[in-house]
Amino acid sequence: MATAEALYVIPSAVLRNLSDKLYEKRKNAALELEGIVKQLAVAGDHDKIIAVINLLTQEYTYSPQANNRKGGLIGLAAATVGLTSEAAQHLEQIVPSVLNSFSDQDSRVRYYACEALYNIAKVVRGDFIVFFNQIFDALCKLSADSDANVQSAAHLLDRLVKDIVTYCDQFSIEEFIPLLRERMNVLNPYVRQFLVGWITVLDSVPDIDMLGFLPDFLDGLFNMLSDSSHEIRQQADSALSEFLQEIKNSPSVDYGRMAEILVQRSGSQDEFTRLTAVTWINEFVKLGGDQLVPYYADILGAILPCISDKEEKIRVVARETNEELRGIKADPAEGFDVGAILSIVRRQLSNEREATRIEALHWMSTLLNRHRSEVLVFLNDVLDTLLKALSDPSDEVVLLVLEVHACIAEDPQYFRQLVVFLVHNFQLDYSLLEKRGALIVRRLCVLLDAKRVYLELSTILEGESDLEFASIMVQALNLILLTSSELSHLRNLLKQSLINAAEKDLFLSLYASWCHSPMAIISLCLLVQAYQHASSVIQSLVEEDINVKFLVQLDKLIHLLETPTFAYLRLQPPQVSSPSDEQTLAYCSVRLHRSRIHLKVLLQQVRQVNVQAREDFSGYLQRLISSP
């Protein structure tokens, strides 16, 4: 009945021309239709107006014939123009069919749909905002249309819609954001340009708080920074720069949600994305302060790798951010998670880049200085990694690791654990002892007191069942003891050990393990000026068969005797042992007798040696210790 009523109102010629294949005829028919609807509106005959609109939608816009659909669209636009101020009450009938035509298979129909909605929007302005999400969705798709004319028409419509939204009070940003967020990860470059355009426009509207919703689409903007199109990268960067400036001037910002996004983006394969993310993190750390305490671990996990980035700009910003982070003294009671920070530090100790490993160790030291008790709670989680780091190829890293160990080893329990593990590592990897042994032992002696370190090492080695390793380890420790400037004080204590009763136990403790090496025990006796006992040791060695290893150690000892360490052997007069000395040396003789089984194991491999060379060396030592 409604259709019949519409047919009665609209002349058949107008309806026929409305679906004509010629654009001019359709345009003229639309003008006549506009006049008819205008008269009905003036007369207040809304039933007939509804009938006309229903006819245009049902019989034309949904028609299988493309020309009919085109006529229906131009007719709906004409009807809206004819309704003028009363058009808003009929939008529920008009707009849906136009939006449906945006997805029409015929590109010309899509084009006319854009044109129709453009004319409708000019009439109703803000009243069509109730359809904004649907319109936005349609425009988003049309921005990537395969037809250039459709794209052009969509752009014109898009500009009009933006203009209307800018001055429209009915626009709801809350309803729009989910739609925007859903499309932010689309890869199509046209869609990306469309989205950035809308973000920029809405952000420019004073009454719309886009900053408050930034976490919802921030990741999408960062994703566009690596787009293959320079224009899109530039637009995204411009939008991000504007938002960062707003953040600096805003008293209230949700740093937390955005920090999670920035952390992820700081690991991007794209250099520009990494730089932008690290720059944002840097500003957040400066601005956010205490608000970022719960995210410190994640932020640190992002910054430490960037300290070693191949791009200098990123390294500079990362280092600055790292110092800013370290400068903030947060408390565990405020949410500062020491365990989480330690987990990050432990992970970065395995980073392939030296600079990152170094900064991770600086953080470990910082945590120990500020939160020692909390760190020790998690010590078992990181100690193994710290100990393994002693094998790091970088000397600077090893020295820092030792400083951390020394700080931990202020507790006697951890000191013993450290030394035991160190000896165990040397036993597993002789090359570590050879390449890094001196560096590690010397540094520990500086950090933890040489006497304490050597007494602990001696105690461990005294009961070592692997005699070959014990001998090698003692030889290494003996060489460090006799040649390192860091151990000069310990050498002086040993020189006084037979005179100063307080230091006698030092000599006895070292003697117990130094027995694993013939040359080490001889040099120790010479160092403490136990010359008679040194003579006894030498005499006992002459009676044994010796091998190549023995001769190598003998050669090293001869060279040592010619160093400044033993200069006093030639300068001082012979000394007579005191009663306490005799007791000490008697104990040493017992130790020597007990250690002879170790010596036999070491000397039994090679039997054929130059006897004359052995006797010459014995005579050399005898003359040395008996000369005034």
Side-chain angles (χ1 to χ4, degrees):
M1 182 176 178
T3 302
E5 190 173 4
L7 292 173
Y8 175 77
V9 173
I10 305 174
S12 59
V14 172
L15 293 175
R16 184 170 58 253
N17 289 337
L18 199 60
S19 59
D20 196 276
K21 64 180 180 179
L22 295 177
Y23 172 73
E24 287 299 324
K25 288 187 176 182
R26 294 198 302 272
K27 181 179 178 182
N28 291 329
L31 291 173
E32 292 187 48
L33 182 61
E34 177 187 333
I36 294 171
V37 171
K38 185 178 295 186
Q39 292 177 1
L40 293 174
V42 171
D45 200 339
H46 291 284
D47 290 339
K48 289 180 180 179
I49 293 173
I50 293 173
V52 170
I53 294 173
N54 285 338
L55 174 66
L56 293 172
T57 56
Q58 295 170 13
E59 300 297 327
Y60 283 81
T61 59
Y62 291 105
S63 169
Q65 300 298 321
N67 287 333
N68 282 7
R69 299 197 296 275
K70 296 173 188 175
L73 290 168
I74 196 172
L76 287 174
T80 305
V81 173
L83 287 168
T84 58
S85 62
E86 298 185 14
Q89 58 185 300
H90 297 284
L91 288 179
E92 290 287 349
Q93 294 173 270
I94 297 171
V95 174
S97 61
V98 178
L99 291 174
N100 180 69
S101 300
F102 278 2
S103 57
D104 197 282
Q105 293 182 349
D106 190 316
S107 62
R108 296 304 296 169
V109 173
R110 298 197 299 274
Y111 176 87
Y112 285 116
C114 292
E115 184 183 71
L117 191 58
Y118 182 91
N119 290 324
I120 293 169
K122 281 204 303 184
V123 174
V124 299
R125 301 294 293 182
D127 289 323
F128 91 132
I129 287 297
V130 292
F131 298 99
F132 176 78
N133 281 8
Q134 296 97 307
I135 294 172
F136 179 85
D137 186 45
L139 286 172
C140 187
K141 294 173 182 176
L142 290 178
S143 65
D145 198 276
S146 57
D147 188 284
N149 290 324
V150 175
Q151 279 194 24
S152 179
H155 291 160
L156 287 173
L157 174 60
D158 181 52
R159 284 199 289 270
L160 176 61
V161 174
K162 285 176 180 172
D163 182 62
I164 293 171
V165 168
T166 300
Y167 299 100
C168 179
D169 295 334
Q170 296 98 316
F171 176 75
S172 173
I173 185 65
E174 291 80 6
E175 294 179 7
F176 169 68
I177 288 298
L179 189 66
L180 176 64
R181 182 176 59 238
E182 183 181 335
R183 284 153 180 76
M184 283 302 293
N185 291 320
V186 174
L187 300 179
N188 186 285
Y190 296 108
V191 174
R192 283 184 161 181
Q193 284 185 305
F194 172 80
L195 294 173
V196 174
W198 267 99
I199 290 171
T200 303
V201 166
L202 292 177
D203 188 47
S204 67
V205 180
D207 295 334
I208 297 178
D209 180 23
M210 284 295 281
L211 184 60
F213 294 96
L214 181 57
D216 290 284
F217 54 88
L218 180 64
D219 189 61
L221 280 176
F222 266 91
N223 202 27
M224 295 179 190
L225 291 176
S226 58
D227 195 276
S228 58
S229 166
H230 174 73
E231 186 177 357
I232 292 175
R233 293 197 303 272
Q234 194 173 42
Q235 289 176 347
D237 180 49
S238 177
L240 285 168
S241 298
E242 183 62 32
F243 277 119
L244 186 58
Q245 189 60 44
E246 291 177 28
I247 289 172
K248 294 178 182 179
N249 299 325
S250 175
S252 177
V253 176
D254 184 359
Y255 290 102
R257 284 181 61 195
M258 289 189 285
E260 296 175 358
I261 296 169
L262 298 175
V263 165
Q264 182 182 8
R265 290 297 173 178
S266 66
S268 171
Q269 295 295 316
D270 179 69
E271 180 183 300
F272 186 52
T273 303
R274 290 200 309 279
L275 175 60
T276 306
V278 173
T279 301
W280 273 62
I281 291 175
N282 180 272
E283 293 294 342
F284 274 28
V285 171
K286 294 176 181 177
L287 297 168
D290 295 341
Q291 294 183 49
L292 289 172
V293 169
Y295 303 94
Y296 272 14
D298 292 335
I299 292 174
L300 185 62
I303 291 300
L304 286 178
C306 290
I307 286 174
S308 304
D309 198 276
K310 60 183 180 181
E311 173 57 42
E312 183 181 3
K313 291 181 180 179
I314 297 175
R315 294 198 302 270
V316 170
V317 179
R319 286 189 176 280
E320 180 182 330
T321 308
N322 185 55
E323 292 307 312
E324 289 283 347
L325 272 176
R326 203 186 341 256
I328 301 175
K329 297 180 179 180
D331 192 273
E334 301 171 352
F336 185 76
D337 193 337
V338 174
I341 295 287
L342 282 174
S343 180
I344 292 296
V345 169
R346 180 187 61 192
R347 191 181 313 139
Q348 295 305 326
L349 283 177
S350 301
N351 191 287
E352 62 180 5
R353 304 283 185 172
E354 178 184 355
T356 291
R357 300 198 300 276
I358 288 172
E359 287 307 318
L361 288 165
H362 283 316
W363 266 98
M364 180 71 77
S365 296
T366 299
L367 291 173
L368 278 167
N369 291 331
R370 294 179 184 174
H371 310 289
R372 180 179 178 83
S373 59
E374 287 84 358
V375 171
L376 293 181
V377 170
F378 298 99
L379 187 59
N380 289 335
D381 297 332
V382 298
L383 189 59
D384 187 56
T385 304
L386 270 176
L387 291 167
K388 288 179 180 177
L390 290 171
S391 302
D392 195 279
S394 164
D395 285 351
E396 185 175 358
V397 170
V398 171
L399 291 174
L400 286 171
V401 170
L402 290 171
E403 289 185 16
V404 173
H405 279 303
C407 187
I408 296 173
E410 292 176 7
D411 186 314
Q413 173 190 349
Y414 296 119
F415 173 74
R416 171 73 179 179
Q417 189 176 355
L418 167 62
V419 179
V420 168
F421 186 91
L422 190 59
V423 172
H424 179 65
N425 266 18
F426 286 150
Q427 187 173 9
L428 291 177
D429 184 4
Y430 279 20
S431 65
L432 176 63
L433 176 60
E434 180 182 351
K435 296 176 182 178
R436 287 286 174 72
L439 175 68
I440 292 173
V441 172
R442 287 162 53 197
R443 189 58 184 165
L444 281 179
C445 286
V446 171
L447 296 169
L448 294 172
D449 179 63
K451 179 179 178 180
R452 183 187 181 197
V453 171
Y454 262 71
L455 287 176
E456 192 65 47
L457 285 168
S458 181
T459 300
I460 295 170
L461 291 171
E462 179 182 358
E464 178 57 54
S465 59
D466 185 342
L467 300 182
E468 181 179 3
F469 165 71
S471 176
I472 294 173
M473 185 73 190
V474 166
Q475 290 166 21
L477 291 174
N478 185 63
L479 185 63
I480 297 168
L481 171 64
L482 296 177
T483 60
S484 299
S485 59
E486 294 90 342
L487 279 80
S488 60
H489 180 64
L490 181 60
R491 289 196 296 272
N492 290 333
L493 291 178
L494 283 167
K495 289 177 183 178
Q496 302 297 317
S497 60
L498 297 184
I499 301 173
N500 185 352
E503 299 299 341
K504 183 176 67 175
D505 289 341
L506 172 60
F507 169 60
L508 297 179
S509 297
L510 294 187
Y511 189 97
S513 59
W514 257 235
C515 286
H516 284 298
S517 170
M519 297 309 154
I521 200 67
I522 292 172
S523 59
L524 180 64
C525 290
L526 293 176
L527 182 66
V528 302
Q529 305 169 65
Y531 300 136
Q532 291 181 2
H533 188 69
S535 178
S536 300
V537 174
I538 294 167
Q539 192 62 44
S540 70
L541 293 178
V542 172
E543 299 170 2
E544 299 291 343
D545 290 330
I546 58 178
N547 59 17
V548 172
K549 291 182 179 179
F550 182 94
L551 291 174
V552 171
Q553 290 302 309
L554 184 151
D555 183 63
K556 290 182 178 179
L557 177 58
I558 291 174
H559 282 87
L560 279 173
L561 292 173
E562 295 173 351
T563 63
T565 299
F566 288 105
Y568 64 89
L569 288 175
R570 292 185 175 84
L571 299 176
Q572 66 181 195
Q575 296 182 6
V576 179
S577 300
S578 66
S580 61
D581 293 342
E582 293 176 357
Q583 294 175 1
T584 300
L585 297 178
Y587 167 82
C588 292
S589 296
V590 173
R591 291 295 316 182
L592 177 63
H593 177 74
R594 292 175 59 188
S595 67
R596 287 174 67 92
I597 184 172
H598 302 328
L599 299 176
K600 288 179 180 179
V601 172
L602 293 172
L603 302 177
Q604 66 184 357
Q605 296 181 9
V606 180
R607 299 289 182 177
Q608 298 179 355
V609 296
N610 189 315
V611 176
Q612 186 62 46
R614 183 170 67 234
E615 291 177 350
D616 288 348
F617 174 64
S618 175
Y620 169 77
L621 290 178
Q622 292 287 0
R623 291 193 301 274
L624 184 64
I625 62 178
S626 62
S627 61

